[in-house]
Amino acid sequence: MESRGEIDRDKVYSIERFMEVAGLKRVALDSARRDGLKVRKVGRRCFIYGQDFIDYLLSSKS
């Protein structure tokens, strides 16, 4: 099990779990989504791939 702030690139996180692990509040996550963080939707649930978050962080540093 990952500790807070440790995102596993090979995992898929529900939005709620992702916010808990990443230590992000809803406003920060919404901002990241507007800036290009990919969020996948399955039915009514939303998920974030760990690798997508890492890619987002790397691209935002450029």
Side-chain angles (χ1 to χ4, degrees), residues 2-7 13 16-23:
E2 63 278 318
S3 61
R4 188 169 192 193
E6 186 177 315
I7 300 297
Y13 297 90
E16 297 81 15
R17 179 68 181 142
F18 181 81
M19 289 188 330
E20 181 181 315
V21 172

Side-chain angles (χ1 to χ4, degrees), residues 1-39:
M1 184 170 196
E2 63 278 318
S3 61
R4 188 169 192 193
E6 186 177 315
I7 300 297
D8 184 343
R9 69 185 183 103
D10 296 322
K11 280 190 138 182
V12 177
Y13 297 90
S14 68
I15 289 286
E16 297 81 15
R17 179 68 181 142
F18 181 81
M19 289 188 330
E20 181 181 315
V21 172
L24 295 175
K25 301 285 185 198
R26 176 62 73 172
V27 69
L29 182 61
D30 290 345
S31 177
R33 290 175 75 177
R34 282 190 300 276
D35 289 342
L37 175 61
K38 292 180 190 173
V39 176

